[in-house]
Amino acid sequence: MSIVVTGATGHLGRHVIEQLLEKVPAGQVTAVVRTPEKAADLAERGVKLAVADYNTPETFDGLFAAGDKVLLISGNEFDKGRVGQHQIVIDAAKSAGVALLAYTSAPGSLTAALADDHRGTEKALLESGLPYALLRNGWYHENYTENLAPALEHSAVTHAAGAGRISSASRADYAAAAVAVLTGEGHENQTYELGGDVAWSFAEYAAELSGQTGREIAENPVSGEVLTGILAGAGLPEPLAAILAGVDASIEKGELVIDSGDLSRLAGRPTTPLTEAISAALKD
């Protein structure tokens, strides 16, 4: 029996592998990667590597074994049909008879276009008949703290979310929840709505940035159209820019406020405060 993690060298996957290694022997962990060189350090520590690509179905043939617990980390290739990519993993897992397939989805409350692929994948997973766990991850602190440069350069936090609030948490928090599900019992056919303990607004975010930098960082609310133009002007493909602006529209409606408590309960600790994430990002 192995715990198998797809997308293992991605931002979230790395956190999951590191936290798994604190709980189970390395030989029980399989990291699914596209580029084995990126996971050489994991192999040196005893983690098994499997080379597979969501775009090449045959690479998943025989990858899973009966009794495996699998974490399907959603792909990030928005233009390549993510539901179809995920279906390949689901089909391979079903053929093998895995014990559990956990999937990193999006909050059930999220209606933005970003959630469409997640809803499609959830449908495919439920129709497969596999024992599943839906990890409906909310927004990540890092979506903001890893992109502080524009806010600091222009002394403004630009958004299209109005006074909406966000229950974000760190990647490490979401990874802890995934590890709890992969290493624990009784998570079959469960859905977890995951978000940070404390929701915040962009006005509060700008104020926190101001306080920590000692500079006046203004809040700059704009329309969704204007934000799409700004993001596209910064180099994002226009369809992706529109998707991200759509998330801000959902934030304004309160769709990314997650108050289930599932994340801190699974992690076994409070979620990481946004203030800590900002502080760590400013030190880097």
Side-chain angles (χ1 to χ4, degrees), residues 13-277:
R14 275 272 175 186
H15 279 287
V16 171
I17 297 288
E18 290 295 340
Q19 293 187 40
L20 276 173
L21 293 178
E22 295 173 5
K23 292 200 166 188
V24 299
Q28 290 181 19
V29 179
T30 298
V32 182
V33 300
R34 283 193 291 196
T35 310
E37 293 78 16
K38 288 184 179 177
D41 61 311
L42 298 177
E44 288 173 5
R45 293 161 68 185
V47 174
K48 298 174 187 171
L49 299 188
V51 180
D53 189 324
Y54 293 145
N55 299 305
T56 314
E58 59 272 18
T59 58
F60 281 91
D61 292 347
L63 193 153
F64 304 120
D68 282 352
K69 289 185 177 180
V70 178
L71 177 63
L72 168 54
I73 294 180
S74 57
N76 58 6
E77 296 174 315
F78 294 93
D79 58 340
K80 293 192 177 177
R82 291 198 295 170
V83 178
Q85 291 179 328
H86 299 158
Q87 183 76 60
I88 289 162
V89 180
I90 292 168
D91 290 345
K94 184 173 183 180
S95 296
V98 305
L100 180 74
L101 196 152
Y103 171 65
T104 61
S105 191
S109 53
L110 187 65
T111 63
L114 182 76
D116 292 349
D117 288 348
H118 293 300
R119 298 290 94 86
T121 301
E122 287 187 5
K123 182 172 183 285
L125 181 50
L126 267 60
E127 289 176 350
S128 75
L130 279 168
Y132 67 85
L134 299 181
L135 303 172
R136 288 179 168 170
N137 288 359
W139 221 223
Y140 296 79
H141 290 332
E142 289 88 349
N143 291 343
Y144 302 106
T145 60
E146 288 184 353
N147 296 287
L148 287 178
L152 298 177
E153 181 184 345
H154 300 290
S155 296
V157 171
T158 300
H159 66 91
R165 303 180 77 78
I166 314 163
S167 304
S168 65
S170 70
R171 288 196 190 107
D173 293 336
Y174 291 110
V179 168
V181 166
L182 293 168
T183 59
E185 301 297 332
H187 298 290
E188 293 81 3
N189 306 330
Q190 298 296 312
T191 298
Y192 298 106
E193 298 287 348
L194 305 174
D197 295 336
V198 179
W200 51 270
S201 69
F202 279 99
E204 291 167 346
Y205 178 58
E208 183 63 32
L209 269 181
S210 297
Q212 291 206 28
T213 60
R215 295 167 44 189
E216 182 59 38
I217 307 292
E219 182 202 5
N220 180 32
V222 297
S223 69
E225 274 186 1
V226 169
L227 183 61
T228 300
I230 290 170
L231 294 173
L236 284 184
E238 191 152 335
L240 180 56
I243 285 173
L244 293 177
V247 171
D248 272 21
S250 283
I251 291 170
E252 185 169 24
K253 296 176 197 166
E255 294 176 4
L256 278 175
V257 173
I258 316 295
D259 57 8
S260 67
D262 285 350
L263 182 51
S264 53
R265 193 159 46 245
L266 283 171
R269 56 170 172 75
T271 59
T272 306
L274 178 67
T275 54
E276 281 185 23

